[in-house]
């Protein structure tokens, strides 16, 4: 079945460091890919998405490119801030129905 | 304000005592879903509903029930809670998913502890 695998956390970075959180997926057909972010004590919020191969999603300085050849959707940010500390979830959705399949989440902690 | 609300936010209960977690959305969304979040497992879908009176099992439905009698509400029912249902629960909604790729809007979560 479809699945999403993320790099394990926690990831601890200093402010202004470069961030990469790896995400790879297994799916039939052509899924849509998402990154969701969960700030402490809150629900998940959509961070960015990509709906087809080579699409780049971007928001709040974060980017991710849909790479079909490597089945990946890595999240990157050039300069993280303390306020980016959160748990990040990679997810996919196939074209049937609304079901999202989530990775296990990667906790990011940014220190001043 | 467009939102998904859940109640209660925190609940401690004992094994076997029936409980209901309510979920309501004010965005007129067709699709609603329940997830549970456990450390190292991400979010796993419990049940979902494509529209009123249409519900279906997700990946981990055992021990849970749902109903969708109105478009805005999607309660999660635990008839006889057990300690392995201790978890963080999220309700989510989105517009008609079969027509395209839509963002899912999540509620704030309900932390349930079953002793």
């Amino acid at each position: 079945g479809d699945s999403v695998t993320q790099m394990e956390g926690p990831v601890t970075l200093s402010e202004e460091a470069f961030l990469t959180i790896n995400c790879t997926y297994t799916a039939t057909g052509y899924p849509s890919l998402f990154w969701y972010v969960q700030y402490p004590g809150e629900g998940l919020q959509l961070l960015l998405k990509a709906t087809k191969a080579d699409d780049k999603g971007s928001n709040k300085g974060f980017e991710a490119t849909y790479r079909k050849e490597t089945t990946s959707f890595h999240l990157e940010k050039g300069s993280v801030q303390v306020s980016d500390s959160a748990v990040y979830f990679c997810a996919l959705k196939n074209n049937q129905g609304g079901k999202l399949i989530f990775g296990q989440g990667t906790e990011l902690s940014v220190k001043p | 304000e467009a939102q998904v609300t859940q109640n209660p936010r925190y609940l401690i209960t004992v094994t076997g005592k029936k409980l209901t977690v309510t979920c309501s959305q004010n965005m007129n969304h067709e699709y609603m879903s329940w997830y549970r979040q456990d450390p190292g497992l991400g979010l796993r879908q419990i049940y979902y509903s494509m529209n009123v009176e249409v519900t279906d099992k997700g990946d981990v439905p055992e021990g849970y029930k749902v109903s969708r009698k109105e478009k805005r509400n999607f309660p999660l029912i635990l008839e006889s809670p057990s300690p392995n249902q201790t978890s963080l629960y999220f309700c989510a909604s989105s517009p008609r998913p079969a027509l395209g790729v839509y963002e899912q809007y999540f509620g704030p979560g309900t932390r349930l502890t079953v002793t």
Side-chain angles (χ1 to χ4, degrees), chain A residues 32 34 36 38 41-46 49 51 87 89 93 95-105, chain B residues 9 31 35 37 40-43 45 50 58-59 88 90 97-98 100-109:
Chain A
S32 299
F34 305 81
Y36 278 81
Q38 183 181 28
E42 298 183 12
L44 281 72
Q45 304 171 26
L46 180 67
K49 69 182 180 186
T51 59
V87 180
F89 290 92
K93 176 186 171 299
N95 292 329
Q96 303 88 18
K99 179 178 178 178
L100 283 174
I101 297 171
F102 288 88
Q104 73 270 36
Chain B
R9 294 289 312 277
Y31 180 90
Y35 298 90
Q37 181 181 9
L41 297 176
L43 276 78
Q45 191 179 50
M50 299 290 274
D59 297 317
L88 180 58
F90 289 100
V101 180
Y102 294 97
E103 174 180 355
Q104 284 200 16
Y105 295 81
F106 284 80

Side-chain angles (χ1 to χ4, degrees), chain B residues 55-107:
Chain B
T55 63
D56 211 342
K57 296 177 180 178
D59 297 317
V60 288
E62 295 77 19
Y64 304 95
K65 286 175 57 178
V66 293
S67 68
R68 187 90 182 274
K69 299 190 186 307
E70 306 166 279
K71 199 171 189 179
R72 61 182 294 126
N73 296 323
F74 191 46
L76 179 70
I77 303 157
L78 284 71
E79 295 268 5
S80 183
S82 62
N84 64 12
Q85 294 178 297
T86 293
S87 187
L88 180 58
Y89 292 86
F90 289 100
C91 181
S93 73
S94 76
R96 291 169 290 174
L99 298 184
V101 180
Y102 294 97
E103 174 180 355
Q104 284 200 16
Y105 295 81
F106 284 80

Side-chain angles (χ1 to χ4, degrees), chain A residues 1-4 26-28 94 101:
Chain A
D2 297 348
S3 65
V4 176
T26 302
T28 55
N94 258 317
I101 297 171

Side-chain angles (χ1 to χ4, degrees), chain B residues 14-33:
Chain B
V14 296
T15 299
K17 184 176 181 181
K18 180 179 179 179
L19 66 92
T20 298
V21 183
T22 64
C23 173
S24 183
Q25 50 93 6
N26 62 1
M27 296 169 280
N28 201 37
H29 285 167
E30 278 84 358
Y31 180 90
M32 297 186 75
S33 179

